[in-house]
């Protein structure tokens, strides 16, 4: 049997939920525009690339056409790369064919690699691109190092097909990119296991 206090709490909760529902419903009513989005996942915490690949999976679930371009390729293979290459041959997948910049320390070679990779991304952003979703993983670093021309990159993203969504990951990104993006999320580091001496793990970190 419910006590009087529980009944009061339940009634209060129900009223609060009704109020909340009315607010959410009103906002849903207002959100009428339908088009592809630009999302920027930035910040110094862990979770940007994994979130981007989460959206890749979502889109694939609906049979949508997806592309992935990774702008920093480490020596480390990733689980998402293995999975997409083995099980999703329909996904357009490109990677920059050089190691991390602090490995190569060769600015000219890195710039050339960045330009080449951008060429592949640009094709996937072009007016005739069939893609519903394009992940540009770690693109922000190419802008920060000035390996790519920011104005040209922003222009290509802005001119993409109207229904195409673009997800950009990486720390920073600059104010112009933030301005262009419809959704910007900052993943903030509160703690990272690596800093406590825990090694990066398969299936978790790569
Ligand atoms: P993830 O790929 O796990 O979603 P991310 O894309 O947010 O991470 P990146 O800066 O691209 O982060 O770094 C990728 C790798 O570095 C991952 O192995 C991740 O666990 C690790 N990493 C991310 N953030 C931090 C951090 N703040 N300190 C130490 N290592 C980090
Ligand atoms: Mg990342």
């Amino acid at each position: 049997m419910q006590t009087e206090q529980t009944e009061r709490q339940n009634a209060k909760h129900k009223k609060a939920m009704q109020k909340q529902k009315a607010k959410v419903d009103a906002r849903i009513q207002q959100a009428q525009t339908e088009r592809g989005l630009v999302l920027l996942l930035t910040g110094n915490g862990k979770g940007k690339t994994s979130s981007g690949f989460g959206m890749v999976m979502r889109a694939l679930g609906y049979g949508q056409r997806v592309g992935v371009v990774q702008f920093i390729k480490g020596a480390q293979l990733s689980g998402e790369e293995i999975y997409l290459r083995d099980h999703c041959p329909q996904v357009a997948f490109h990677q920059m064919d050089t190691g991390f910049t602090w490995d190569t320390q060769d600015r000219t070679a890195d710039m050339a690699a960045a330009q080449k990779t951008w060429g592949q991304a640009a094709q996937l952003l072009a007016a005739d691109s069939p893609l519903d979703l394009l992940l540009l993983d770690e693109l922000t670093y190419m802008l920060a190092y000035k390996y790519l021309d920011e104005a040209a990159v922003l222009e290509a993203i802005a001119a993409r097909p109207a229904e195409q969504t673009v997800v950009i990951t990486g720390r920073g990104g600059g104010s112009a990119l933030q301005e262009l993006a419809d959704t910007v999320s900052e993943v903030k580091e509160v703690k990272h296991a690596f800093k406590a001496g825990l090694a990066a793990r398969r299936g978790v970190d790569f």
Side-chain angles (χ1 to χ4, degrees):
M1 205 177 77
Q2 287 186 342
T3 64
E4 221 174 276
Q5 195 193 3
T6 313
E7 275 175 30
R8 257 203 320 274
Q9 278 173 343
N10 286 350
K12 198 173 156 193
H13 178 76
K14 193 174 176 187
K15 208 171 156 191
M17 287 297 106
Q18 279 169 345
K19 216 168 144 184
Q20 184 63 23
K21 185 178 183 317
K23 270 194 206 161
V24 173
D25 286 350
R27 275 196 226 121
I28 292 171
Q29 280 283 317
Q30 270 174 24
Q32 296 284 2
T33 311
E34 273 276 0
R35 63 162 172 80
L37 306 169
V38 178
L39 298 96
L40 172 64
L41 307 174
T42 186
N44 64 354
K46 169 177 163 53
K48 302 173 290 291
T49 296
S50 18
S51 172
F53 277 101
M55 261 181 280
V56 164
M57 234 185 108
R58 262 184 194 171
L60 288 174
Y62 290 108
Q64 293 183 359
R65 284 151 300 188
V66 174
V68 176
V69 181
Q70 295 196 292
F71 282 90
I72 292 188
K73 184 193 189 309
Q76 184 67 63
L77 194 68
S78 70
E80 51 271 31
E81 176 183 353
I82 297 168
Y83 188 83
L84 288 181
R85 289 207 195 278
D86 285 356
H87 300 283
C88 307
Q90 77 276 27
V91 172
F93 194 98
H94 301 286
Q95 277 180 333
M96 201 161 118
D97 51 5
T98 176
F100 281 88
T101 42
W102 45 92
D103 279 346
T104 62
Q105 296 172 3
D106 184 343
R107 191 176 146 82
T108 313
D110 283 348
M111 273 182 101
Q115 293 289 346
K116 189 177 152 204
T117 311
W118 170 249
Q120 289 158 335
Q123 274 185 25
L124 297 173
L125 288 162
D128 60 352
S129 169
L131 294 187
D132 299 293
L133 182 84
L134 175 60
L135 172 60
L136 300 176
D137 189 39
E138 321 296 351
L139 175 69
T140 58
Y141 302 104
M142 302 301 106
L143 302 175
Y145 300 151
K146 302 206 184 309
Y147 287 179
L148 298 177
D149 178 54
E150 187 186 46
V153 167
L154 296 184
E155 212 177 289
I157 294 170
R160 75 196 184 283
E163 290 300 314
Q164 185 183 93
T165 288
V166 176
V167 184
I168 297 154
T169 77
R171 296 181 189 197
S175 53
L177 182 58
Q178 287 204 13
E179 185 82 18
L180 174 70
D182 300 292
T183 294
V184 181
S185 292
E186 186 179 357
V187 183
K188 176 173 171 271
E189 184 194 306
V190 176
K191 258 174 125 166
H192 195 289
F194 186 64
K195 297 200 172 130
L198 290 157
R201 273 175 87 76
R202 263 184 177 199
V204 176
D205 294 291
F206 57 86

